[in-house]
Amino acid sequence: MDIRLADLADEAVRNLIRFHHEDMHASSPAGQAFAFDVDRLKAPGITVLAAYLDDELVGVGAVKVRDAEAELKSMRTVPSRGRSGVGSMLLAALSDTARGEGATVLMLETGSGAAFASASAFYVKHGFLTCGPFADYEASDFNCFMIKVL
C-alpha cells in the first residue's frame, strides 16, 4: 500500500471526501456532524493523506496539528475495502505525521449509536480512550470524544 499526501484536486480523492462528508451529515443530528469538506481540508495545519493499492484510491485521512495536540479530522476507507487493513495503515500514517509535527496526543470526535459503532470499536482497538470535549467542541448526547497518547 502506498500512502502519500493527497491531491485535493484529484476527482477520486474529492469524491471519497464528498461521500464521507455527506454520510456523516446524513448519520448525525443537525449541527452535530463535524466532518470537513474538501475546501475546509485545505486549511493551514491540516495534512490530508491518501492510500493507494495498485494505483486505486482505497482511503483518505486528515490530521490537524495544534502545538502538542493533533486532531484526526476525517478518515474514510472506500466501502469495498472495509475491514481490509486500509484504515489501520492510514491511522498509523496519520499518527506518524502528527508525531513528526510535534504532537504528543491524537484526539478525535465521532458520533455515537449504531452508525458509528464500528468506527468507535476501531479506535478503541487502536488504543484510543474516551475523554471529554476538546478544542471548540461541546459535549452532547450524540458526540463521543477520544484521545490517544502518541
Side-chain angles (χ1 to χ4, degrees):
M1 183 162 316
D2 178 30
I3 298 177
R4 59 184 182 255
L5 285 175
D7 176 359
L8 294 178
D10 179 271
E11 200 58 33
V13 170
R14 294 176 69 80
N15 285 340
L16 185 53
I17 293 169
R18 187 177 303 114
F19 170 73
H20 176 67
H21 185 259
E22 291 172 358
D23 187 47
M24 293 300 93
H25 282 268
S27 302
S28 304
Q32 296 299 310
F34 300 103
F36 279 12
D37 62 14
V38 171
D39 290 334
R40 291 191 70 196
L41 288 172
K42 293 177 183 176
I46 297 178
T47 301
V48 183
L49 300 179
Y52 293 87
L53 189 59
D54 298 327
D55 294 323
E56 174 193 354
L57 178 69
V58 293
V60 295
V63 64
K64 180 177 184 175
V65 177
R66 294 181 293 269
D67 300 318
E69 298 177 345
E71 180 182 356
L72 192 63
K73 290 306 302 175
S74 290
M75 205 165 85
R76 189 61 171 235
T77 300
V78 172
S80 64
R81 298 289 183 165
R83 302 192 192 288
S84 65
V86 173
S88 295
M89 292 178 79
L90 254 176
L91 181 58
L94 291 163
S95 296
D96 288 345
T97 297
R99 196 178 298 107
E101 293 183 24
T104 58
V105 295
L106 181 59
M107 300 173 291
L108 64 91
E109 178 278 334
T110 190
S112 60
F116 295 90
S118 63
S120 294
F122 171 83
Y123 293 121
V124 167
K125 173 183 156 186
H126 288 281
F128 284 83
L129 303 171
T130 57
C131 65
F134 58 89
D136 294 332
Y137 293 106
E138 295 181 17
S140 77
D141 291 338
F142 177 73
N143 303 93
C144 176
F145 304 96
M146 303 181 98
I147 189 169
K148 177 182 179 177
V149 174
L150 294 175

